[in-house]
């Protein structure tokens, strides 16, 4: 069994050695290859990667600055012929059984499938913050994923059938994030998603997080207001439109109907009202529901 761990780096010199070592220390009955794409680092990241490559512990290449979403998509395209794939951020820390636990959850599924899990929140020194990311199980249906996303990419493990849905088709011109996109592709083509409530990694929170968790009352309020009033350049509508364009013939009838509604929602007030009020979309909690329903109503999601 061959497993490819995919990591995109950008100025990650502070934490990446700990993460790389935790990945190389994974236990299980598989052959592991760590593939890294550097997204234009200007610090010592490339020097660190060169040293690991000299020691034959990883493979890496560099490219122009695509930002995380497209950098990870490029990695999937670049790394073919593996049985399983896993996303890895540059600044977290994995428990030794993380990969094997996830693989065992989807090993008997031949159709596109994806595993994801909870994660323990820690500070920049890997000290526990006393909580996990999810307080309840995230929803994995097409109605919720297309509007809310919400699955943690750094916990994702997926099979070759889902990887080939990316490798054998065009890379989207516009997407929200790589994890949001691949989870949505999975359910759009009637694949399966398995969520594990347990945590097998430390999700490091620090000032340079690309995606993190807000703390403190004022920070939470500020973050939620910003999410409501700021229009996303690559929103859920353009992402849905890309999936319809790329996978049209593979998408289920009901899944296609929902994606078509989302793809044009900004142009139609009644559609915005319908999506904002829809009970098909099941948000994680009341605060998230208010924030995202308001953003959709304003056409900013």
């Amino acid at each position: 069994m061959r497993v490819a761990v995919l990591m995109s780096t950008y100025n990650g010199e502070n934490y990446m050695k700990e993460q790389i070592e935790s990945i190389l220390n994974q236990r299980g009955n598989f052959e592991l290859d760590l593939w890294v794409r550097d997204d234009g680092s200007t610090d010592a990241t490339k020097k660190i990667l060169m040293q690991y490559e000299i020691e034959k512990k990883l493979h890496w290449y560099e490219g122009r600055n695509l930002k995380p979403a497209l950098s990870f998509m490029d990695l999937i395209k670049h790394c073919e012929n593996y049985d399983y794939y896993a996303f890895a951020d540059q600044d977290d820390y994995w428990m030794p059984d993380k990969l094997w636990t996830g693989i065992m959850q989807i090993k008997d599924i031949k159709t596109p499938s994806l595993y994801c899990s909870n994660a323990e929140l820690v500070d920049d020194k890997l000290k526990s913050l006393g909580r996990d990311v999810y307080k309840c199980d995230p929803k994995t249906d097409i109605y919720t994923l297309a509007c809310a996303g919400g699955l943690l990419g750094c916990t994702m493990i997926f099979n070759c059938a889902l990887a080939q849905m990316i490798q054998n088709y065009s890379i989207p011109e516009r997407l929200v994030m790589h994890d949001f996109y691949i989870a949505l592709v999975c359910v759009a083509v009637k694949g399966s998603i398995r969520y594990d409530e347990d945590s097998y990694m430390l999700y490091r929170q620090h000032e340079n997080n690309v995606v993190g968790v807000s703390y403190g009352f004022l920070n939470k309020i500020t973050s939620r207001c910003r999410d409501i009033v700021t229009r996303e350049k690559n929103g859920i509508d353009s992402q849905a439109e890309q999936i319809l364009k790329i996978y049209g013939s593979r998408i289920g009838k009901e899944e296609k109907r929902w994606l078509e509604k989302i793809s044009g929602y900004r142009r139609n007030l009644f559609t915005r009202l319908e999506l904002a009020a829809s009970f098909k979309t099941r948000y994680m909690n009341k605060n998230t529901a208010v924030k995202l329903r308001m953003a959709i109503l304003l056409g900013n999601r």
Side-chain angles (χ1 to χ4, degrees):
M1 182 189 299
R2 302 182 69 225
V3 181
V5 176
L6 311 178
M7 179 191 294
S8 177
T9 57
Y10 180 76
N11 291 347
E13 63 179 1
N14 291 337
Y15 308 116
M16 60 185 291
K17 286 185 178 179
E18 284 182 306
Q19 170 68 319
I20 289 172
E21 291 298 328
S22 76
I23 292 170
L24 297 176
N25 288 331
Q26 291 296 293
R27 299 187 297 229
N29 185 25
F30 53 77
E31 175 188 332
L32 185 150
D33 285 334
L34 172 56
W35 283 91
V36 182
R37 181 189 184 277
D38 186 75
D39 201 33
S41 295
T42 56
D43 65 356
T45 294
K46 294 178 188 177
K47 187 178 295 184
I48 294 170
L49 293 174
M50 285 182 211
Q51 184 57 45
Y52 274 104
E53 185 179 45
I54 290 170
E55 297 171 4
K56 300 185 183 304
K57 292 183 176 180
L58 57 75
H59 314 278
W60 78 284
Y61 65 101
E62 58 184 309
R64 64 185 178 89
N65 185 243
L66 298 175
K67 306 302 183 186
L70 288 175
S71 185
F72 274 105
M73 297 299 286
D74 189 78
L75 274 162
I76 299 174
K77 279 279 194 179
H78 190 87
C79 303
E80 297 184 330
N81 302 316
Y82 286 88
D83 299 297
Y84 296 95
Y85 296 77
F87 291 137
D89 289 348
Q90 66 184 7
D91 48 8
D92 298 325
Y93 188 90
W94 289 10
M95 300 297 103
D97 295 322
K98 178 185 184 297
L99 281 177
W100 189 243
T101 299
I103 290 169
M104 289 297 98
Q105 292 269 357
I106 58 174
K107 67 181 178 66
D108 295 324
I109 306 173
K110 304 305 179 185
T111 54
S113 61
L114 181 152
Y115 162 92
C116 58
S117 74
N118 216 328
E120 181 182 357
L121 292 166
V122 297
D123 66 13
D124 60 343
K125 305 297 184 185
L126 297 181
K127 181 180 178 181
S128 177
L129 295 174
R131 58 160 287 198
D132 290 342
V133 172
Y134 300 111
K135 296 179 181 179
C136 58
D137 293 0
K139 307 305 178 185
T140 59
D141 57 273
I142 184 76
Y143 307 106
T144 302
L145 286 178
C147 291
L151 303 183
L152 203 56
C154 54
T155 71
M156 288 182 176
I157 300 167
F158 49 99
N159 65 4
C160 61
L162 182 53
Q164 287 168 1
M165 294 300 299
I166 304 299
Q167 293 162 349
N168 297 339
Y169 292 82
S170 302
I171 291 293
E173 297 173 5
R174 302 172 68 185
L175 71 165
V176 179
M177 279 298 281
H178 58 285
D179 47 4
F180 196 152
Y181 182 84
I182 198 166
L184 188 51
V185 169
C186 186
V187 294
V189 300
K190 293 188 174 295
S192 57
I193 296 179
R194 298 281 178 87
Y195 170 74
D196 188 339
E197 66 181 5
D198 294 324
S199 170
Y200 303 94
M201 60 165 285
L202 306 181
Y203 187 34
R204 196 191 308 250
Q205 303 297 293
H206 56 88
E207 61 182 9
N208 295 319
N209 280 113
V210 174
V211 178
V213 177
S214 298
Y215 284 93
F217 178 76
L218 184 59
N219 283 340
K220 287 182 178 180
I221 294 298
T222 302
S223 175
R224 286 168 188 162
C225 290
R226 184 174 59 248
D227 289 342
I228 291 171
V229 302
T230 302
R231 173 161 291 199
E232 296 287 350
K233 179 181 178 182
N234 296 324
I236 59 172
D237 56 334
S238 57
Q239 181 167 259
E241 185 178 342
Q242 289 289 296
I243 291 175
L244 287 166
K245 178 182 177 181
I246 295 169
Y247 302 103
S249 62
R250 297 290 304 268
I251 300 173
K253 183 177 179 180
E254 177 60 21
E255 289 80 5
K256 181 176 288 188
R257 189 195 68 80
W258 188 250
L259 290 173
E260 286 173 344
K261 187 182 296 292
I262 292 171
S263 68
Y265 93 96
R266 285 184 178 177
R267 300 187 294 270
N268 189 304
L269 175 60
F270 293 106
T271 304
R272 295 205 305 271
L273 286 167
E274 181 183 354
L275 288 178
S278 175
F279 288 104
K280 289 183 177 180
T281 304
R282 299 174 294 169
Y283 296 100
M284 290 289 294
N285 52 56
K286 291 181 179 179
N287 289 330
T288 300
V290 170
K291 178 184 74 173
L292 294 185
R293 290 186 191 280
M294 285 296 296
I296 289 170
L297 183 62
L298 295 172
N300 292 335
R301 178 65 176 141

